[in-house]
Amino acid sequence: MDEEIYGNYRKAGRVLGKALSAGAKMVREGVRYIEVAEKIEGIISKEARLSFPVNISVNEVAAHYTPSLNDHLKFKRGDVVKLDAGSHVDGYIGDSALTVEVGSNENEHIIRAAEEALHEAIEIVRAGVTISEIGEAIEKKINSYGLKPVKNLQGHSLERYNLHAGLSIPNVSNSNGRKLREGEVIAIEPFATDGRGYVVDAENGNIYHLKERARGRLADEMRKRFDGLPFAGRWMADIVGKDRINMSLAFMLRRRAIYAYKKLVEADGGIVAQAEHTLLVRKDGCEVLTAREKT
Ligand code: MN
Ligand code: MN
């Protein structure tokens, strides 16, 4: 990999690790989701750009929720909180997630299952390993906890300004014999649950994507600010003013200029934990680009 590109990935990964660690420390009973989201996004923005809004997904919500500007939600004791955040430097993306439980450890095994599954995957990733071998390792590890992986959520390859590039890295074994190649960048993200092991769509999660074909002054401004990557409704405040966010989003949805992501919830209401890192595939192993400093 080109040295400059590598440097950008490293920088994006390092600031993301720092931001997630700081965010995790803030997750306490009574703290508002929006405070944590703004903290994490603020740290990333100092040294890099955001590649998507911080997802704060709690308990049976697996992914795709970010707080709105005046979101009233606060963390409660026993909540299982996934923080999933993304950065980029010149389009080279870091994507990483962690899970914490608020003030208790009743679901520690679910969190550990996701973390251990990620660890297991990292151990085997190198040029030549197949996609199915990774999925199998993740599934086995999570099953060993008496839990299920979420089978319709997947890791993915990353390319410049492309969060979900061509490859999908499943959390279960499949028949994909495609081998990883040296220099590829992938995000691996096991989700473990005590539910049925798949997620279904719920209501709007305040995360949007501008469509490529969207035209007009507002669309152009959004494209410039959000780099063609997913954005939070609240990020529109700087463009249209905070009182006009909802109106502008509704307008753009009607015009089919933006796409709204749905919150993803576990089909059985099971508790979900997630762990994720972005990895650079090397000849004999991999480098964790989003590693967090030990605290
Ligand atoms: Mn992620
Ligand atoms: Mn990801």
Side-chain angles (χ1 to χ4, degrees), residues 52 84 95 189 276:
F52 57 85
D84 189 341
D95 179 3
E189 49 186 313
E276 178 177 25

Side-chain angles (χ1 to χ4, degrees), residues 27 78-81 99-109 111:
V27 177
D79 278 348
V80 173
V81 179
T99 304
V100 290
E101 186 171 343
V102 182
S104 61
N105 50 20
E106 236 165 84
N107 292 300
E108 206 184 320
H109 61 296
I111 298 172

Side-chain angles (χ1 to χ4, degrees), residues 178-224:
R178 157 72 152 80
K179 290 177 171 139
L180 292 182
R181 297 168 192 147
E182 189 178 357
E184 281 183 319
V185 177
I186 56 170
I188 295 191
E189 49 186 313
F191 288 80
T193 182
D194 58 2
R196 281 181 25 193
Y198 66 92
V199 290
V200 293
D201 283 352
E203 66 270 37
N204 181 316
N206 304 316
I207 301 170
Y208 303 88
H209 205 130
L210 182 70
K211 293 187 186 170
E212 263 177 58
R213 61 174 176 80
R215 293 286 173 270
R217 205 150 40 144
L218 182 54
D220 290 344
E221 184 62 24
M222 289 165 72
R223 196 168 284 117
K224 199 170 78 192

Side-chain angles (χ1 to χ4, degrees), residues 52 84 95-96 154-156 158 163-164 187-189 274 276:
F52 57 85
D84 189 341
D95 179 3
S96 183
Q154 291 162 336
H156 45 96
L158 294 151
L163 185 56
H164 289 245
I188 295 191
E189 49 186 313
Q274 174 198 18
E276 178 177 25

